[in-house]
Amino acid sequence: MMELRSSRVCQNLLITVALLICFSAIFYTYYQPNVNWNCINDPKISDKTEIVNNTETVTQTDPDTILLIWMWPFGAKFDLGICRSMYNIHGCRLTDNRDQFKSAHGVMFHHRDIREDDMPTLPRPPFQKWIWMNIEPPINSAPYSTLNNLFNLTATYRQDSDIMVPYGRISEKTGGSTTFKIPYKSKLVCWIVSRWNSNYKRSQYYENLKQHISIETYGRSFNRPVRNEDYSDLISSCKFYLSFENSISKDYITEKLYNPLKLGTVPVVLGPPRKNYEELIPGNAFIHVDDFSSPKELAEHLKLLDQNESL
Ligand SMILES: *[C@@H]1O[C@H](CO)[C@@H](O)[C@H](O)[C@H]1NC(C)=O
Ligand SMILES: *[C@@H]1O[C@H](CO)[C@@H](O)[C@H](O)[C@H]1NC(C)=O
């Protein structure tokens, strides 16, 4: 965990834990739909979690909703008391004890960790729903045909999931200071990459872009790993951050967008079309590479913005 940003696996672990926490609350509201809540999912550190305190709508006589986590995503465990401790939601019980299979309302399976010889063998109680959870895009999600027609609900970042678990979400700020001070900027364009693959569209775009503008590169791919504790300061010291997704898939918009956005840095995105981003965040909160006919034109625009504060 020392070099969070330079380790894809570690990164996935933390993201999944944060997603699961969020997911648990969503699943709970699926069963108790009168509970309003609002989850800002920060994949890096869960310091932005907000709850609409509406717990009084849950009556004490409601039986607990039990969610069985069949396997820990990427093997990473987390506190099972989070429904209450993080979300102040009562009557929601998470468990990893497979003996509770018969009473569980939901059983959660994380795609990456599914083993076909490790699925439940007992008959399924009629009220129980099986939930297929996945945070990876299709290209990184090997299909298992024997698992077809097993699941009742999907939980993924996709908007058409039964339970949508996005990598982040914009919400209105409540309380605290309402003015935002732009952090001090010492760099123009930055990029952190842990996994280099020359076949990725983002690699090709970068190779071209760097001919026209200077890019500060970090991460394992560039032999400049970034320590977790330095991550936020680094991102916020850049005017622009290359939020380039490794896979171009519908709704696959990750912490690569949400982290700079939160840290006062303008994301330059490469991923699904602009329209897809605009379904999730305001259209003027980012720059899309598709807005420009070439990397050269994008570079010129960024240089123009660099010289013009009001723009
Ligand atoms: C939530 O609301 C209940 C009842 O109004 C109150 O007792 C409790 O302190 C509130 N919790 C938080 C975290 O605001
Ligand atoms: C869940 O899906 C399975 C397989 O399609 C089905 O047999 C079962 O009735 C469904 N359960 C619920 C609670 O909808």
Side-chain angles (χ1 to χ4, degrees), residues 80-95:
L80 290 166
I82 51 172
C83 281
R84 188 182 284 241
S85 63
M86 283 188 71
Y87 295 99
N88 196 22
I89 292 175
H90 300 255
C92 151
R93 189 140 53 87
L94 301 182
T95 180

Side-chain angles (χ1 to χ4, degrees), residues 227-241:
R227 292 182 307 167
N228 195 22
E229 57 267 39
D230 299 333
Y231 177 82
S232 297
D233 286 347
L234 172 63
I235 300 274
S236 62
S237 71
C238 313
K239 285 190 175 176
F240 303 100
Y241 183 79

Side-chain angles (χ1 to χ4, degrees), residues 51 53-56 88:
I51 291 300
N53 184 2
N54 204 4
T55 51
E56 58 276 11
N88 196 22

Side-chain angles (χ1 to χ4, degrees), residues 124 126-129 149-152:
R124 217 194 280 213
F127 55 85
Q128 186 178 82
K129 299 202 181 208
N149 306 314
L150 274 191
F151 300 101
N152 305 97

Side-chain angles (χ1 to χ4, degrees), residues 158-305:
R158 281 190 46 145
Q159 296 183 73
D160 56 5
S161 292
D162 297 304
I163 301 170
M164 187 195 173
V165 191
Y167 277 82
R169 183 172 287 171
I170 302 275
S171 86
E172 201 171 330
K173 194 169 182 222
T174 52
S177 163
T178 49
T179 55
F180 177 75
K181 194 169 166 293
I182 298 173
Y184 174 73
K185 304 293 180 183
S186 57
K187 307 171 194 74
L188 186 55
V189 185
C190 302
W191 195 30
I192 305 176
V193 193
S194 55
R195 204 165 46 163
W196 180 264
N197 182 331
S198 52
N199 293 323
Y200 287 164
K201 184 180 170 192
R202 69 178 187 191
S203 310
Q204 291 153 15
Y205 199 96
Y206 161 77
E207 291 291 355
N208 195 326
L209 185 65
K210 75 173 186 187
Q211 320 272 320
H212 307 288
I213 193 166
S214 141
I215 302 170
E216 290 285 341
T217 49
Y218 302 86
R220 211 174 36 195
S221 297
F222 294 99
N223 261 323
R224 267 173 106 186
V226 179
R227 292 182 307 167
N228 195 22
E229 57 267 39
D230 299 333
Y231 177 82
S232 297
D233 286 347
L234 172 63
I235 300 274
S236 62
S237 71
C238 313
K239 285 190 175 176
F240 303 100
Y241 183 79
L242 301 183
S243 301
F244 286 7
E245 303 296 352
N246 55 36
S247 166
I248 315 288
S249 305
K250 177 177 154 39
D251 297 334
Y252 188 62
I253 295 170
T254 70
E255 81 289 348
K256 294 179 181 67
L257 170 79
Y258 291 102
N259 286 343
L261 208 53
K262 170 183 95 189
L263 293 166
T265 296
V266 179
V268 177
V269 307
L270 181 151
R274 166 172 275 281
K275 208 168 128 280
N276 198 180
Y277 281 87
E278 290 184 0
E279 289 160 6
L280 302 168
I281 64 166
N284 58 3
F286 63 96
I287 292 169
H288 198 301
V289 297
D290 292 351
D291 297 342
F292 303 90
S293 61
S294 65
K296 179 166 183 280
E297 204 186 290
L298 168 62
E300 279 159 11
H301 184 65
L302 296 181
K303 286 190 243 179
L304 175 71
L305 294 178

